[in-house]
Amino acid sequence: MAYPSESTEQAALAAHAPVRAATAADTAAGTAARLVAAPADAAAASALLGEAARLRLSVLPRGNGTKIDWGAPPRSCDLIIDTAALSGIDHAAGDLVVRAGAGTPFAELRRVLADAGQRLSVDEVVPGSTVGGVVATGVSGPRRMQHGPVRDLVIGMTVLGHDGVAASSGGRVVKNVAGYDLAKVQAGALGTLGLIASVTFRLHPVPPALRVVRAESDDPGAVGAWAAALRRSQVMPTAVELDWPGGGPLSLRVLLEGTGQGVAERADAVAAVLDGAKTEDAVPADWARPPGGPDDTLLEFAVPLAEVLPTAARLHDAGAAAGASVAVKGSAGCGVLYAAVPAGTAPDAVQRLLLLLRDGMAAGSATVRRAHPDLHAAGLEVWGEVPGLALMRAVKSGCDPDHRLSPGRFAGGL
Amino acid sequence: MDHRTDATGRPHDGGLAHVASGEVGTPLPAPGEGDAEGTAHRSFDDLLNDCVHCGFCLPSCPTYVLWGEEMDSPRGRIHLMAQHADEDVLSAAAVQHFDACLGCLACVTSCPSGVRYDSLIETTRARVEREKPRGRGERALRAAIFALFPYRRRLDLMRGPLRAYQRSGLSSLVRRSGVLDRVAPSLATMERVAPPLRTAAPLPERVPARGRRRAVVGMLTGCVQGAFFPQVNNATARVLASEGADVVIPPSQGCCGALSAHAGRAPEAARFARATIETFERAGVDAVVVNSAGCGSTMKQYAQVLAEDGAGAGWRARADALAAATVDLTEFLTGIGPRAERHPLPLRAAYHDACHLSHGQGITAQPRDLLKAIPELDLADLPNADICCGSAGVYNILQPQAARELGGRKAADVASTDARLLVAGNPGCSLQIAAALEREGGSIAVAHTAQVLDASIRGLGPAALLEA
Amino acid sequence: MSQSDTLHALVPDLRAICGDDGVLTDTAQRRTYESDGITYHAELPGVVVLPTTPEQVAGVVRLCAEHGVPFVPRGSGTGLSAGALPRADGVLIVTSRMRRIIEIDIPNERAVVEPGVFNLDVTRAAAPHGYYYAPDPSSQQVCSVGGNIAENSGGAHCLKYGFTVNHVTGLQIVTPQGELVELGGKAADAPGYDLIGAFIGSEGTLGIATRITVRLLRSPQKVRTLLAAFDGMDAGGRAVSAVIGAGVLPAAIEMMDALAIEAAEAAVACRYPEGAGAVLIVELDGPAAEVDSQFEQVTRLCRDEGAFELRSADDPAERTTIWKGRKSAFAAVGRISPAYIVQDGVVPRTALGEVLGRIAALSAESGIRVANVFHAGDGNLHPLVLFDDAEPGAGDRAEAVSAAILDLCIEAGGSITGEHGVGVDKVCHMPDMFGPDDLAAMDRFRRAFDPQGIANPEKLLPTPRLCGERPGARKGVHPLVASGEAELF
């Protein structure tokens, strides 16, 4: 079969959506795209995907591009599908559910819901994210301790398959066990199983009051003891966040949400557990943000609860040994930490640090969320060991038989 | 207080008087549905239909706990009964699963639909006995059991040789007979745990109330209880008298028929039931106090026992009258309320729910209330209290392996409480658990609720129970 | 070889794997496994096996895969959608002998259990440490954790605490090819696709869970339960909306109508207020200060909506008294009706009032009584359709009413099942809720796990054999879109 020329391709795609040649900005973890299309709605996106399938193009869905460098670099990227126009918010306030298009800015969704006294209980970890981007990366902030990661709040999803065919699972009610919950595998799949067109979430009322109780210490052991004491307590925090910037003390921030009287009493109970606690009535500005700067290598560690502080301490020590000041931040309450290794750290030093941490972990996982293309080029092991990979490969092949959707971005080269 | 006897204590004419509720506590219907009468008159198929197959009975069933298979759960057995009812085929496998049922009735308590499994299994067992000839060995074993246990005097005669059996491990007396090999260890256990005969004086026909009389009650002495635990009967009589009851102990009484009824030996059970009814009708008492859970449970279901044997309405009415008058000792005592002073018994004790008390009669609070009212007695509840200990009448003889495993589980639960004394309302349970604890290398003193109350009322102190 | 010959030939191998007492071939014994919690679907299993280890399960499944023999997993057999309906040509794999609680790990707030462990036993094992396992289906005393995995079980308290899927961090599964695969563990966020999330609720069609790691939650500091009696369902429904609208998230909100109350009264003498046309049970739990202030608020809202009697329970004994009627309701209906169908559908909470009204109309038209018991907080209806099976045609009319109620749920934008699952019972209703493309996507997912189609076949997804072809039926248009409930952005 003859390879279609670029202009023939572009013309065929343009029948469904405006298409342009990619620029230097249209890359993903160092992989440059050829074309960028911006369908006007889900139907157009569906047709576009169908066309891309006929043309055998590799496709990368992209929202606002804030996390397009996350994961491994795609092997190829013929076409970026920009989901910006797949937006819209259908809020059923009385039912505490909302359906939002993938391209809807996450901040806009939060604003609309807030106006109705409700919220999607997922923090915006990376500013500027779209709804689709949050779900496709599965990135969940501090409040996941109380409300679960973002995939737990998804109750329905419509996904455009590799051939553009739309398929829905779940529905518009929270309690629903009809059929497979395919949204679970889409959440966090980095666009390797389909293009998320719209997502339905369950919502929560905005609690009337909140407090943040904060304390600092230089001793990870002491902070670990605080975290353990909080687990034993019955104050039910919404979040327990660890923050350990490179250099400086560790801090633990406990978020309490509820009624005015309730949070006041609970804050006192938390303050009694922490040493030198200070109480504030707003979350700090850097709340939910990943540690470090935008060019740092961002790692994620998921560990059993009792291993959170030992893991943080090992990271800190390993960083020091590599001459890098590693910043650690994340949920001590559910055992998910992010670590930032400063940009410019030698690739082999980053790799050594990662392997050292992986070797020292009895349970859990250490993955690279985002790395500079140079690190990928140097062979950074993004995923580590992934149990169940054979099943995942089968799932991928079932959803995307030609491996054209964000190929290689996911674990095991999927 | 309504006295139903005259000042001389002369019995009324005309048989049993009903006990008004609130005085000694209304005899409780079995848990769930509640009317033994209704059950006795409903057809087997109708009773089967009550089961909706929800499975709530599974965790309560000791054999399901042991083996985790449907056929050895109440739901599975009911299914097997339905297969039998529908197709009139009784497979060997089905019989094996019916036989494995302990008849503990925990499933009756746990059933949200009120299925009368107690009634279903008794009917089924009677059918099995009628329709399914057993092998020679099993026949001989059952014959030996039922020629021995229901007969107090025969049990008495066994006690000497059993001591010999116990001393020699396996005496020449029993070595010749495989049947005795199975019966004897169980009896020998009783012999080991039961105190020497000399400690118990024979009971008179009547023990007068101490102080002002509040009631006249009959007392069932039971076969195993009477032969091996006469001191429990003595304690029962003393406690009743101390609380103001005249205790009538008809010397002519025999076995109540419980063991036979639970084994499907319907005609034999009915014969015993009729005799017991007649005995207590003649005694002229307000209530018939029973201190053995299995006996009380069966006596409260006498109408069903007689119906199983095809008895007519007349007998069933007399059965109902006796059933209504039958009360467990603890039920009676909480009903009339305490009068005798309780002296301290500083010790930690664990209370074990005998199945035929808790599931068979719905009695769980009364014994605990009585025990907790004893100063300084620290009463522990057992984990998995609903699960049978494996004693279950003669089950430990017929299904020794299952009984042993269940005994082991219960022993572990008892050991977890750190109690020094195990209290139960049924002699078989205490024996079974004590024997299981011994196998595990532990030991615990056992006592009947009556003995604990007796020791407290008489101010004997813990040693009397721990060293008995 | 015929299918039954194939199966017969496997028996020696099955015995070699599971031991002689772990393989049942006797007809009477196998028949006791012919149905799960609903008896009107029954099928004699070809062979029943009772493995005791994950390796035995894997061995049995591998054998099935080698010979193309279907297998059906079963836990305690309490399911209400015939998800464990056996196959005459297959092996029924029963997990009831795999019931060890392997570990209670308090520092990491996890329990590791085998699939046959009773749900409630996890909480019992954690309770001495001040912890519990949150999912609490009504059958929690007997249903198995493995069964909960298959059905993604919820319970009265899932309004606040979520479903099984929200509480599992690790699974060891046997795939339909007979391989043992470890997914996740004690840590959150296992790397790769969330196969745990998709496996939970897959009704045994993707394999068998053989070891399960669940989250344990710290017991709440305080629990308070309110019983509110109303004249009718309208007022009760308004109270539910008022509570949710006020931003309160109770642990549970349950509602019963007059007929359900009558049944519960007959069964357990729950002594709910006399003359109530509806009762609402609202349970709040959490830190004492929060619970107390919300309790006041809920009480006030119920009174404002016309509650004529309010009772509160602050200790376990009082709570048990209030819950007794609700928990007994299903079985209790047997006391007021010779036969009944338990339906399970979901509607958006705001549609509750309208749908209940239409159910009442259906009931009036058909002369078939319907008792309503439901999880009002999340719109999960459990209409109990009552009939007399001795009356000719009554069963069919009841079935028709029951199916019509599901149609109402779909029409309102809800679901055909909130917790009982699809199984065999509702498999032919799946096309009413999902379009052909949706079902095709699900089928592709299934094939990824089970290319041979031997894992619990003909459950969950409709097949032409079971449901017939539906030419043109809503082809290409999603039913939710067609109903105007959802638009594709």
Side-chain angles (χ1 to χ4, degrees), chain C residues 174-423:
Chain C
V174 171
T175 69
Q177 275 117 44
E179 281 162 44
L180 269 173
V181 177
E182 300 279 349
L183 301 171
K186 288 182 183 173
D189 288 4
Y193 299 135
D194 181 19
L195 298 185
I196 294 176
F199 187 93
I200 294 169
S202 65
E203 304 191 8
T205 62
L206 304 181
I208 302 179
T210 47
R211 190 163 292 183
I212 299 144
T213 305
V214 299
R215 295 165 63 207
L216 297 176
L217 302 191
R218 186 77 174 91
S219 313
Q221 190 178 23
K222 190 159 195 181
V223 183
R224 294 186 75 178
T225 308
L226 178 76
L227 178 82
F230 298 87
D231 288 335
M233 297 288 276
D234 285 352
R238 281 199 310 273
V240 173
S241 297
V243 168
I244 299 287
V248 178
L249 181 61
I253 309 185
E254 304 284 304
M255 198 154 136
M256 291 166 73
D257 71 2
L259 199 52
I261 297 167
E262 180 194 329
E265 192 66 51
V268 295
C270 51
R271 313 257 145 78
Y272 287 166
E274 220 162 293
V279 296
L280 204 59
I281 298 172
V282 184
E283 188 156 286
L284 295 161
D285 69 9
E290 300 286 353
V291 170
D292 288 340
S293 82
Q294 294 196 334
F295 195 84
E296 264 176 48
Q297 194 181 1
V298 170
T299 306
R300 197 174 54 243
L301 291 168
C302 286
R303 195 173 288 125
D304 290 351
E305 295 300 339
F308 66 82
E309 190 170 336
L310 291 154
R311 293 180 194 167
S312 78
D314 298 335
D315 68 47
E318 290 173 346
R319 279 207 305 282
T320 304
T321 308
I322 287 185
W323 277 105
K324 193 166 72 172
R326 167 61 186 90
K327 293 207 164 171
S328 73
F330 282 10
V333 165
R335 316 267 177 153
I336 59 167
S337 176
Y340 59 97
I341 299 167
V342 181
Q343 189 49 281
D344 165 43
V346 187
V347 298
R349 195 171 30 240
T350 47
L352 263 179
E354 193 205 328
V355 170
L356 288 172
R358 292 179 64 183
I359 291 175
L362 270 174
S363 171
E365 283 162 25
S366 60
I368 294 281
R369 292 188 300 165
V370 179
N372 283 294
V373 180
F374 53 96
H375 310 297
D378 36 31
N380 188 187
L381 302 173
H382 287 306
L384 298 149
V385 183
L386 315 185
F387 64 100
D388 183 350
D389 46 357
E391 185 192 322
D396 293 341
R397 281 188 291 139
E399 280 285 353
V401 168
S402 179
I405 290 173
L406 279 192
D407 289 341
L408 288 178
C409 292
I410 295 168
E411 215 176 294
S415 171
I416 57 170
T417 171
E419 51 190 8
H420 294 173
V422 176

Side-chain angles (χ1 to χ4, degrees), chain A residues 85-103:
Chain A
L86 275 65
S87 61
I89 295 171
D90 173 11
H91 182 201
D95 294 323
L96 282 165
V97 302
V98 70
R99 188 158 178 273

Side-chain angles (χ1 to χ4, degrees), chain B residues 379-445:
Chain B
L379 192 67
D381 265 324
L382 296 179
N384 306 306
D386 288 346
I387 301 289
C388 178
C389 65
S391 166
V394 295
Y395 187 88
N396 49 2
I397 304 172
L398 293 171
Q399 305 275 340
Q401 186 53 38
R404 206 180 157 93
E405 286 176 39
L406 288 168
R409 283 167 176 265
K410 190 60 78 179
D413 288 341
V414 171
S416 76
T417 64
D418 294 324
R420 296 172 67 200
L421 179 72
L422 177 68
V423 185
N426 202 45
C429 303
S430 307
L431 287 174
Q432 163 81 356
I433 299 167
L437 267 168
E438 270 180 30
R439 280 200 303 275
E440 310 285 318
S443 74
I444 194 165

